[in-house]
Amino acid sequence: MHVRYLREVDESTPLKVSVQLLDFDAKRMHLFEQLLHAEQGWVSATSENMTLHVDMTAKKVVPFPAAVMRALARMQEAHARLPRPEGAGRRVAMPEKRA
């Protein structure tokens, strides 16, 4: 997960959330979420997430059910027309150590 806090809001700020599917495979979804001012359109925060499908009984990552895979494929087709969000794809890493 990579979260960016870009602009402060308070409880009176009208907000909306957008979720864009960037990619998926049999066991994972790559999502980009934005918290936007509902009237002015500026971005308050973003969250980029790699979500895993976990079988809570087996306690392991397993493939999505077929119905979910079909829904993700439809979502990916619709979202393919959207521009890649600014800030998507940043790397999470420890800073390089200096000698």
Side-chain angles (χ1 to χ4, degrees), residues 9 12-16 35-44:
V9 297
S12 68
T13 307
L15 299 170
K16 68 179 181 178
L35 183 63
L36 304 130
H37 190 285
E39 297 162 353
Q40 298 172 11
W42 47 262
V43 179
S44 172

Side-chain angles (χ1 to χ4, degrees), residues 2-97:
H2 184 252
V3 178
R4 298 183 311 151
Y5 299 102
L6 305 170
R7 189 165 172 183
E8 188 173 352
V9 297
D10 64 28
E11 64 274 0
S12 68
T13 307
L15 299 170
K16 68 179 181 178
V17 174
S18 75
V19 178
Q20 183 173 347
L21 178 66
L22 299 178
D23 204 358
F24 75 99
D25 64 18
K27 299 178 183 180
R28 300 173 294 184
M29 291 185 293
H30 182 191
L31 301 170
F32 194 87
E33 303 162 345
Q34 295 186 84
L35 183 63
L36 304 130
H37 190 285
E39 297 162 353
Q40 298 172 11
W42 47 262
V43 179
S44 172
T46 67
S47 178
E48 185 172 7
N49 305 280
M50 184 66 67
T51 303
L52 304 174
H53 182 245
V54 177
D55 179 328
M56 294 304 291
T57 302
K59 304 292 187 201
K60 66 179 188 173
V61 177
V62 298
F64 290 112
V68 173
M69 288 294 289
R70 288 190 299 273
L72 288 169
R74 287 191 308 274
M75 189 175 182
Q76 184 178 48
E77 183 179 329
H79 289 193
R81 300 189 253 321
L82 298 173
R84 188 162 182 87
E86 187 276 316
R90 290 187 168 194
R91 188 172 81 100
V92 177
M94 295 293 292
E96 290 187 30
K97 294 183 178 164

